[in-house]
Amino acid sequence: IYAMAEAVPKQGQGGQTSKRRRGGLLRISTSEVAAVQQAGVDPGELRAPGFCVFLRLFVRLRWLAVAATLGAIAFFQFFVGSDFNYPMLYSIAGLIFAYNIVFYVLTKRQCPNDETEDRRVSRINALVQLNIDLVALFWLLHFSSGLENPCVLFFLFHVVIAGILLKPIWALLEAAVAS
């Protein structure tokens, strides 16, 4: 069972347990509460993951993206011999690395722990990260065969992430930017 809420459960109507959390009211069945208790965990100890968890995940995934980008650029340069603008591609990968350091520091400062997060600031942080990633992805694709590059599908990842994390209007704008 995934983390559920912050408060101790209170019995509700129809076998449902209601728990208060920052994002609103979360309903879980009494069988889920029983399963958690059977595992030896107090359901009141469980919490929904904070927005900062996702911001930290963005930073970690971006480190992997930088490594994969550098590996792909080197592979195409030395083994395939494609006619790409390699200095620009390496520069963009270096830029991604640099702005990821900035986001790492900002996220560390903004989210020292999940208790002190400010959802509004976190959403703005996520929106900025998504948009800068889209710009970097655009330039990577521009200098490496454009729309013929199968990595153009990576734009969809950003739209999906925006749809999960952001308010609907911002997710729609993100989808418009990505298209």
Side-chain angles (χ1 to χ4, degrees), residues 28-29 61 85 97 100 105 142-145 159 163 176:
I28 59 173
S29 70
L61 289 174
N85 188 343
F97 182 84
N100 201 39
V105 170
H142 175 73
F143 289 112
S144 64
S145 75
V159 172

Side-chain angles (χ1 to χ4, degrees), residues 60-72:
R60 287 189 200 119
L61 289 174
R62 201 172 293 109
W63 292 130
L64 291 173
V66 168
T69 300
L70 288 172

Side-chain angles (χ1 to χ4, degrees), residues 6-156:
E6 296 175 351
V8 177
K10 296 177 183 168
Q11 194 63 27
Q13 297 175 350
Q16 294 287 319
T17 300
S18 298
K19 292 184 159 197
R20 272 288 200 203
R21 68 175 193 162
R22 262 180 252 207
L25 196 62
L26 178 66
R27 295 197 179 276
I28 59 173
S29 70
T30 52
S31 62
E32 290 173 322
V33 172
V36 170
Q37 287 172 336
Q38 201 171 30
V41 177
D42 177 23
E45 303 274 328
L46 298 175
R47 294 184 336 97
F51 209 85
C52 288
V53 171
F54 295 108
L55 293 177
R56 286 188 208 108
L57 181 63
F58 283 165
V59 171
R60 287 189 200 119
L61 289 174
R62 201 172 293 109
W63 292 130
L64 291 173
V66 168
T69 300
L70 288 172
I73 294 169
F75 175 78
F76 277 93
Q77 182 177 11
F78 297 114
F79 297 110
V80 177
S82 296
D83 188 29
F84 297 149
N85 188 343
Y86 292 107
M88 285 302 294
L89 292 173
Y90 283 117
S91 298
I92 294 167
L95 213 63
I96 296 170
F97 182 84
Y99 76 71
N100 201 39
I101 292 172
V102 172
F103 285 132
Y104 175 79
V105 170
L106 286 175
T107 303
K108 245 338 188 190
R109 188 174 298 159
Q110 177 187 342
C111 304
N113 58 37
D114 288 336
E115 302 301 321
T116 60
E117 74 178 78
D118 178 3
R119 281 221 182 241
R120 188 178 142 277
V121 173
S122 296
R123 281 206 170 105
I124 291 170
N125 187 339
L127 186 65
V128 169
Q129 287 190 41
L130 285 168
N131 283 313
I132 292 176
D133 283 343
L134 283 175
V135 170
L137 180 59
F138 170 80
W139 286 110
L140 281 171
L141 292 175
H142 175 73
F143 289 112
S144 64
S145 75
L147 293 177
E148 296 172 1
N149 191 326
C151 293
V152 75
L153 295 175
F154 289 151
F155 281 109
L156 289 178

